[in-house]
Amino acid sequence: MDEMDEELKCPVCGSFFREPIILPCSHNICLACARNILVQTPDAESPQSSRASGSGVSDYDYLDLDKMSLYSEADSGYGSYGGFVSAPTTPCQKSPNGVRVFPPAVPQPPPQHHLLQHPGSLPPIPRNSCITCPQCHRSLILDDRGLRGFPKNRVLEGVVDRYQQSKAAALKCQLCEKSPKEATVMCEQCDVFYCDPCRLRCHPPRGPLAKHRLVPPAQGRISRRTSPRKISTCTEHELENLSMYCVQCKMPVCYQCLEEGKHGTHEVKALGAMWKLHKGQLSQALNILSDRATEAKEFLVQLRNMVQHIQPADAPGRPLVTSGWGTLKENGVEFEACLVAQCDALIDALNRRKAQLLSRVNNEHEHKLKVVRDQISHCTVKLRQTTGLMEYCLEVIKENDPSGFLQISDALIRRVHMTVRPVGQGHADPRMTSDFDLTLDSSPLLQTIHQLDFVQMKVPAAPMLQLEECCTQNNSATLSWKQPPLSTIAVDGYILELDDGNGGQFREVYVGTETMCTVDGLHFNSTYKSRVKAYNDSGVGQYSKTLVMQTSEIAWFTFDPASAHPDIIFSNDNLTVTCNSYDDRVVMGNCSFSRGVHYWEMTVDRYDNHPDPAFGVARGDVLKDVMLGKDDKAWAMYVDNNRSWFMHNNSHTNRTDGGIGKGSTVGVLLDFTRGILIFLINDEQQGPVAFEALEGQYFPAISLNRNVQVTLHTGLPIPDFYTPGEADPTGSVC
């Protein structure tokens, strides 16, 4: 009950309520505190139309706070009334609860909160007094009754009394004069707690007192709480008990209030009935509030668990927790270690790449040196040979023998020319430059390092199915889901899975970003299991809880305008069809069947000139511009006014007497448990079993022309004569 403490304290004095009254804004205040915060207003600016009291009407006319300026929005600490010159501006006080309190305009004795006072014993209320609620700051001008016009909150007063009694350490004797001793008994008739000495002195067990019942103090406290309280009286008619409740004014009234006409035209109800009704409404609201409180507690537990997971156990300002040590250090410390390890791995990779690049630079350096050294060696040899040839030629030129010179001169000249050409070429261009042609492009890596950031490292949490939005209708199922409230992991999409309605394997029926999906074309009268999971770049998360759904036992459907031939005319919410052509045109139902037993009927509303409408089932790709049964996609019975035939793939079989007319009813029974199709006319089976070995998906279908109009009836039970699974060898239904 400690959380209720603030609810039981006055917003002005900060103490427990004493004689609380209810303001029109539904807030409570002590009677003495209300007297203390009254503000007097001038006569000129307080028209009678703006006056109201606690017993007025339900829609209260509050004064314009901008015009009154009773308090400063800037919280200056002063309050004044702009048009009241005779009342000096006085500083406003603050209550223990932080609410600004305005002292009265005229001097008054200080309020006595601990003395029970009758409203009549209070000093008279000044005329045109105004009171401002200390919680919502709405202002109200009092009428002639003053504060007595506001009803007393006896319920709140009783709650405060019980709360204070429950907080008392021990019940004290009520007759001890000085220091009260602990009470030992309580007299239920006297309603007094006694200690042993006072009981012997003031309540002897003799005479009339001997018949009084003495109980332990704790039991006496309980009996006090459960004892009937004083019946509340009307605030306007103090001698009348409140016995009715005015619905329009939302307040209890007495019979005299009704007789005087103030509430005569209003709707009134018995006080006890409204008491029970409002108690029920409050209980319902409390149930909702309790659920919210439970959710809030669970949310707080989750937040505290998050703090334990995020903050390591040896974090500054946090006591060391020995239990669950690994759990507390798990997330924060291990995540930091993982981050350091990843960065170290990047640094190691960069160092390895650095070594590889340095190796390439060294190889290039050695290659250049080798090429240049080879060229130097080659040029040195050539230069040595050229120098030797030059020295030899110089010596030959020194010879003075013309004949001997001419014998070798031609050969020397050719040799010199041959030597000049390669020597000149060898000294023209180096085979290798001294510059390194390698340039390290580090900008992409630097950009990548700058863009290095945390990415999604976890798969999404399991989605939560929103059961209040999941439903089935006919053979369709709608599912809705959402991510857990505390999940911050990004989701790229969802995968919805359903089983086959017969306990088989799950299969994907939807993949996308939506959080709601409707699955059509399910089997009737089947139980499906569904689940959903989320995915992102990191992978696929866990499945949600499995939801079990039951499709409709009986099919409800209409004709389908989307798949019908354009000549078909629809009416009656697509339950009635006809045609504007003399040729037969096909229209199908808007749902299909592939399992179970199904039965529907069509009533012939109009039948002119003996046409041959055909009734039956068809595949989704049946021809729409010919009679039903002309192709291999339809199984039908076509009938005129005298006889009928079964037809499939333009094959006519089983001619049977008996036709249709206006008002006739044609029934179609499709039983997948035996794979058969049966037709009825006016509740009687028409011919034997029409078709067998039917399996797959079929749509209800009919073909007709402009001479026929039919109305569809669905959601019908299986005819009484038919028991699924029982047939005689001839194919007739038993």
Side-chain angles (χ1 to χ4, degrees), residues 158-174:
V159 173
V160 171
D161 290 342
R162 294 196 299 270
Y163 181 79
Q164 290 179 321
Q165 291 176 9
S166 65
K167 289 296 182 180
L171 292 171
K172 302 296 182 180
C173 176
Q174 295 177 284

Side-chain angles (χ1 to χ4, degrees), residues 287-340:
N287 290 335
I288 299 175
L289 184 61
S290 176
D291 294 339
R292 297 296 179 269
T294 303
E295 293 175 359
K297 290 179 181 178
E298 294 175 353
F299 182 67
L300 282 176
V301 171
Q302 292 177 352
L303 292 179
R304 287 167 182 163
N305 291 337
M306 288 178 62
V307 171
Q308 291 180 346
H309 285 291
I310 294 172
Q311 183 178 359
D314 52 355
R318 178 171 180 167
L320 182 63
V321 181
T322 57
S323 61
W325 170 259
T327 303
L328 293 177
K329 293 180 67 69
E330 178 181 5
N331 286 275
V333 175
E334 291 191 4
F335 183 78
E336 292 178 4
C338 180
L339 176 62
V340 172

Side-chain angles (χ1 to χ4, degrees), residues 147-400:
L147 295 176
R148 289 179 297 174
F150 298 113
K152 292 183 179 181
N153 195 338
R154 299 185 184 277
V155 174
L156 177 58
E157 190 174 11
V159 173
V160 171
D161 290 342
R162 294 196 299 270
Y163 181 79
Q164 290 179 321
Q165 291 176 9
S166 65
K167 289 296 182 180
L171 292 171
K172 302 296 182 180
C173 176
Q174 295 177 284
L175 297 181
C176 292
E177 294 182 357
K178 294 184 178 180
S179 57
K181 297 180 181 179
E182 184 174 346
T184 57
V185 294
M186 181 251 187
C187 178
E188 290 186 341
Q189 285 71 28
C190 301
D191 195 18
V192 176
F193 289 93
Y194 298 96
C195 63
D196 286 336
C198 293
R199 177 179 60 82
L200 295 175
R201 184 178 71 255
C202 303
H203 200 289
R206 59 181 180 271
L209 298 179
K211 298 181 179 180
H212 288 196
R213 184 166 179 257
L214 301 179
V215 296
Q219 183 178 347
R221 175 191 291 174
I222 296 174
S223 63
R224 268 190 173 182
R225 296 178 186 173
T226 57
S227 60
R229 292 191 165 270
K230 181 181 177 181
I231 300 177
S232 301
T233 58
C234 180
T235 56
E236 296 187 5
H237 313 99
E238 298 182 357
L239 299 180
E240 295 291 338
N241 294 333
L242 296 173
S243 58
M244 304 295 291
Y245 183 83
C246 180
V247 178
Q248 182 174 341
C249 300
K250 296 182 180 180
M251 60 178 296
V253 295
C254 66
Y255 280 106
Q256 194 170 346
C257 292
L258 300 178
E259 291 176 358
E260 290 181 354
K262 189 172 184 180
H263 302 274
T265 59
H266 296 175
E267 180 184 1
V268 293
K269 292 186 178 181
L271 193 64
M274 293 303 297
W275 174 54
K276 293 182 180 179
L277 175 63
H278 283 208
K279 270 197 172 184
Q281 293 175 351
L282 180 59
S283 298
Q284 293 178 358
L286 281 178
N287 290 335
I288 299 175
L289 184 61
S290 176
D291 294 339
R292 297 296 179 269
T294 303
E295 293 175 359
K297 290 179 181 178
E298 294 175 353
F299 182 67
L300 282 176
V301 171
Q302 292 177 352
L303 292 179
R304 287 167 182 163
N305 291 337
M306 288 178 62
V307 171
Q308 291 180 346
H309 285 291
I310 294 172
Q311 183 178 359
D314 52 355
R318 178 171 180 167
L320 182 63
V321 181
T322 57
S323 61
W325 170 259
T327 303
L328 293 177
K329 293 180 67 69
E330 178 181 5
N331 286 275
V333 175
E334 291 191 4
F335 183 78
E336 292 178 4
C338 180
L339 176 62
V340 172
Q342 288 179 317
C343 292
D344 290 343
L346 293 177
I347 295 174
D348 292 341
L350 185 60
N351 287 331
R352 289 194 297 270
R353 188 59 179 168
K354 172 185 173 183
Q356 294 174 359
L357 294 176
L358 287 176
S359 177
R360 286 184 57 184
V361 172
N362 291 333
N363 293 338
E364 185 71 12
H365 177 260
E366 295 296 333
H367 175 68
K368 285 181 176 289
L369 288 178
K370 182 178 182 303
V371 171
V372 174
R373 285 170 180 169
D374 291 345
Q375 192 173 11
I376 290 173
S377 177
H378 177 74
C379 291
T380 299
V381 172
K382 290 294 183 180
L383 182 59
R384 187 182 298 115
Q385 293 175 353
T386 302
T387 302
L389 180 59
M390 290 174 58
E391 293 177 353
Y392 174 70
C393 291
L394 289 175
E395 292 297 327
V396 170
I397 291 174
K398 293 178 181 179
E399 289 292 332
N400 295 325

Side-chain angles (χ1 to χ4, degrees), residues 562-582:
S563 62
H565 192 278
D567 291 340
I568 297 294
I569 301 174
F570 294 85
S571 60
N572 189 23
D573 295 329
N574 298 332
L575 291 174
T576 301
V577 292
T578 185
C579 182
N580 59 11
S581 172
Y582 285 106

